Amino acid sequence: MKHSEYSVIIVGSGAAGLYAALKLSSQINLPDGILLLTKSNLGESNSRYAQGGIVGVVHQNPQDSVDLHVKDTLKAGAGLSDEKVTQYISEASDVVINDLINFGVDFDKDDSGNINFTLEAAHSYRRILHVGGDATGKGITSALAKKVLDDKNITVVENAIATELLISTDNSCKGLIMYNSLTNEHEIIYSSATVLATGGVGQLYKYTTNPAGATGDGIALAYNAGAIIQDMEFVQFHPTALALSPESKNRFLISEAVRGEGAKLVHQNGEEFMSKYHDKRELAPRDVVTRAIYNEMQMMHTDNMYLNATVIEGSKLLRRFPTISKCCKENGIDITKMSIPVAPAAHYTMGGIKATVEGRTSISGLYAIGEVASTGLHGANRLASNSLLECVVCAYELTDYLSFANLEAPKIIDDNILKTIKLYEVPISENDYNISKLKQNLKELMWNNVGILRNETGLLEAKKCLEKFKSEFKRNRKCFNKDEYEYRNMLIAAELVIESALNRKESRGAHSRTDYNSMLDTATHTQLISINKKEDREFSLC
């Protein structure tokens, strides 16, 4: 196999990966440069589809405070958010927001040139910055991607998937093996710093707001390498995704900010129902709103509820939400006159690779930032728009941490890594798999048994079915193409979600057990270590 060397490898080109690449390039002398890998096109990620915005406790908004933001985050996290991590990320928001502005991100402003702030569910104050009304993720990733393409220190490889991490006998990461979809070749990439910024697991589910690439790749890579994974049971289902029909699987997000501006959740006849579930009604935490909508759908035997945005003044509505307005109009819905059909969909992964705010994992040389990481910020239920903030703060801190490291590509490769490489030189059987059908079967299983409401019977049935899926897929390390690698990763990620959901015998945040409704007095994290690395390892988040 071909091989190459880079000072830093970044896997994923969402907000976390793009920002990390730019910060590393501008602040650290990297003799072998930076390699940025992306499965599809540069900037295609969950970040790109983030509409609502990014949290900013900034000097331009003096009435807000870090204390208020921390309080809101801890409350939404249902007892599992780390207060120190939350405080740190909130305090850093002013610096990174202004850094994004310097990188060309054009946050929306009022007629006087002041930044506009909006409100989202479970926030006690207007602290959400947005771009293009409801195209914040696209605005941020587009600005950063443009800078990345202009940076000569960053090599971008598109249509490439990381298939395995190279782990030495001393449990340190020395790079990865990459599969290039265009050339159909595997390649060895050596590095002393490998950064996973691959996003979440939304594609495990039949209905999701996530793009096609959200197949849990980074989590599967890290788990196979022996890294600590935690809190995988906490998958957030966004309450309001556009539900045109039961056949529409990848669903367009209807931002929480629409409810923040005053839209109401209603039945088909216009009757409001959120007052039955929470005193904050439409601005209750996401898990509450999701279960409320799901419950109403079950009682009414219907596939969706409705979001009535006509209560917002028409010109303001169109100006504030142009992307949503355009998408709805293309599907025959005038949001100034008609209610929007909505239903919950898998949206965000609170759990993932256990990591510090600077991205350190339980494996030396391996870092995780963004949605793939579990830093302790989100707890059991992410507070709206905290995710983009976490992406950039952790990328910023990663740069500071790596500035003190020796980032030359590793020169000594041990027997453990050589054995891994040799496995990719062995031919594999040419089983013909209908990957599209296999993925769909898995997504149906996860939606029906490991979805918004869970119980032990359904989870055990899911575990049994998953074992069958795994036994029928005769691939382990090496696959024939990107789709097979994705399916392999989805099976691993699904197993982690199921095991974690079985282990948590309570309802907490986004994890709702119908057979264990009450929360336990003490909140604890669920942690899983790869079966390939059975030994216990101490790992501090300090």
Side-chain angles (χ1 to χ4, degrees):
M1 283 193 292
K2 295 191 299 183
H3 74 274
S4 56
E5 297 180 356
Y6 289 87
S7 297
V8 180
I9 303 168
I10 299 173
V11 187
S13 66
L18 292 168
Y19 188 67
L22 289 171
K23 295 301 291 182
L24 287 165
S25 177
S26 64
Q27 292 185 210
I28 305 177
N29 179 29
L30 301 172
D32 294 309
I34 300 166
L35 176 65
L36 181 62
L37 297 182
T38 179
K39 278 202 302 184
S40 53
N41 299 319
L42 188 69
E44 177 66 10
S45 63
N46 282 357
S47 302
R48 181 178 178 83
Y49 298 94
Q51 294 174 357
I54 179 172
V55 167
V57 183
V58 295
H59 67 273
Q60 295 97 325
N61 197 14
Q63 292 179 317
D64 194 15
S65 71
V66 167
D67 287 346
L68 282 173
H69 177 222
V70 170
K71 182 179 178 181
D72 292 342
T73 300
L74 295 179
K75 186 175 181 180
L80 272 176
S81 294
D82 185 302
E83 186 169 0
K84 289 183 179 179
V85 169
T86 304
Q87 178 95 13
Y88 193 94
I89 289 177
S90 183
E91 288 174 348
S93 64
D94 192 38
V95 172
V96 297
I97 291 294
N98 285 284
D99 205 32
L100 288 175
I101 292 171
N102 292 332
F103 274 125
V105 177
D106 187 17
F107 291 108
D108 293 342
K109 301 176 182 65
D110 61 23
D111 294 338
S112 300
N114 299 313
I115 289 177
N116 267 328
F117 297 92
T118 192
L119 182 69
E120 291 189 331
H123 285 274
S124 60
Y125 199 80
R126 285 182 172 265
R127 62 171 66 98
I128 317 299
L129 296 84
H130 45 85
V131 180
D134 55 359
T136 308
K138 183 178 180 181
I140 291 174
T141 55
S142 295
L144 297 179
K146 184 178 184 301
K147 294 287 187 182
V148 163
L149 290 173
D150 291 338
D151 194 316
K152 294 181 180 180
N153 293 326
I154 304 171
T155 300
V156 177
V157 177
E158 298 178 316
N159 301 293
I161 184 171
T163 65
E164 188 159 354
L165 299 174
L166 299 175
I167 306 299
S168 64
T169 52
D170 65 352
N171 193 46
S172 61
C173 183
K174 303 298 184 183
L176 53 78
I177 294 177
M178 174 190 81
Y179 172 77
N180 190 313
S181 299
L182 299 182
T183 65
N184 197 33
E185 292 179 335
H186 290 85
E187 184 175 345
I188 306 161
I189 316 289
Y190 295 120
S191 178
S192 58
T194 300
V195 183
L196 299 179
T198 53
V201 302
Q203 284 295 329
L204 290 183
Y205 290 91
K206 179 179 179 181
Y207 300 113
T208 181
T209 63
N210 291 182
T215 51
D217 302 326
I219 291 169
L221 284 170
Y223 180 72
N224 281 341
I228 298 174
I229 312 295
Q230 74 175 13
D231 296 348
M232 287 297 293
E233 69 272 32
F234 297 122
V235 177
Q236 187 173 75
F237 293 82
H238 198 288
T240 55
L242 182 60
L244 298 171
S245 74
E247 286 70 43
S248 57
K249 303 297 192 302
N250 289 353
R251 293 186 162 178
F252 181 80
L253 177 67
I254 305 298
S255 170
E256 195 163 275
V258 181
R259 285 178 281 130
E261 296 294 344
K264 303 296 182 183
L265 287 164
V266 298
H267 293 143
Q268 188 172 16
N269 63 5
E271 179 187 359
E272 297 178 21
F273 58 84
M274 278 306 300
S275 60
K276 295 189 296 183
Y277 296 95
H278 199 277
D279 57 0
K280 286 193 172 183
R281 302 190 180 193
E282 280 74 17
L283 294 182
R286 279 185 179 175
D287 61 310
V288 175
V289 181
T290 294
R291 287 191 292 271
I293 293 173
Y294 189 74
N295 189 51
E296 294 295 312
M297 288 165 54
Q298 298 292 98
M299 289 193 302
M300 303 291 290
H301 303 288
T302 184
D303 295 318
N304 61 271
M305 287 289 110
Y306 292 87
L307 184 65
N308 178 17
T310 66
V311 296
I312 305 171
E313 193 272 320
S315 60
K316 176 185 177 182
L317 182 63
L318 297 177
R319 182 176 65 254
R320 178 68 180 81
F321 303 107
T323 307
I324 294 171
S325 173
K326 180 182 177 183
C327 179
C328 288
K329 186 175 181 180
E330 289 171 350
N331 289 282
I333 302 166
D334 181 348
I335 65 173
T336 65
K337 299 176 181 178
M338 305 163 64
S339 291
I340 307 167
V342 293
H347 183 61
Y348 190 85
T349 312
M350 273 78 73
I353 306 165
K354 186 177 182 182
T356 65
V357 290
E358 64 269 27
R360 289 185 298 115
T361 72
S362 56
I363 296 176
S364 175
L366 178 66
Y367 305 87
I369 55 175
E371 189 176 353
V372 74
S374 179
T375 64
L377 172 66
H378 305 303
N381 184 44
R382 175 178 69 104
L383 181 66
S385 292
N386 265 353
S387 48
L388 285 177
L389 175 62
E390 182 189 41
C391 283
V392 291
V393 169
C394 292
Y396 189 97
E397 296 304 321
L398 170 71
T399 300
D400 273 357
Y401 180 79
L402 292 182
S403 65
F404 296 100
N406 178 12
L407 292 181
E408 291 184 2
K411 305 301 181 186
I412 300 174
I413 307 302
D414 64 22
D415 289 341
N416 196 50
I417 292 175
L418 291 175
K419 288 177 183 178
T420 299
I421 292 170
K422 287 179 180 178
L423 288 171
Y424 281 79
E425 297 171 350
V426 177
I428 56 177
S429 59
E430 296 189 16
N431 301 62
D432 186 17
Y433 294 110
N434 183 343
I435 296 297
S436 178
K437 179 63 175 176
L438 293 178
K439 284 183 178 180
Q440 195 54 46
N441 290 342
L442 177 61
K443 289 152 75 79
E444 293 271 0
L445 176 71
M446 293 297 288
W447 182 263
N448 293 331
N449 293 66
V450 201
I452 296 168
L453 300 179
R454 303 162 177 177
N455 60 63
E456 187 167 11
T457 301
L459 292 170
L460 289 173
E461 176 64 23
K463 183 178 181 178
K464 180 180 177 181
C465 289
L466 188 70
E467 289 171 353
K468 180 174 182 290
F469 292 166
K470 289 172 64 180
S471 68
E472 292 172 346
F473 186 62
K474 307 298 182 182
R475 301 279 193 264
N476 184 16
R477 309 287 276 274
K478 183 180 178 182
C479 295
F480 270 116
N481 53 48
K482 185 190 80 169
D483 287 339
E484 286 194 356
Y485 278 117
E486 285 186 333
Y487 181 61
R488 182 200 67 177
N489 294 338
M490 290 169 71
L491 290 174
I492 294 168
E495 182 178 30
L496 295 174
V497 175
I498 293 168
E499 285 294 337
S500 295
L502 279 167
N503 289 343
R504 186 171 293 280
K505 293 176 170 39
E506 62 163 342
S507 290
R508 184 176 293 275
H511 172 68
S512 183
R513 290 280 298 255
T514 58
D515 47 350
Y516 293 97
N517 284 320
S518 60
M519 293 198 303
L520 301 177
D521 291 337
T522 304
T524 57
H525 295 278
T526 57
Q527 295 186 355
L528 297 164
I529 300 177
S530 168
I531 54 173
N532 301 322
K533 300 273 187 176
K534 288 182 179 294
E535 70 273 14
D536 291 332
R537 292 194 301 277
E538 291 296 325
F539 176 58
S540 172
L541 283 172
C542 297

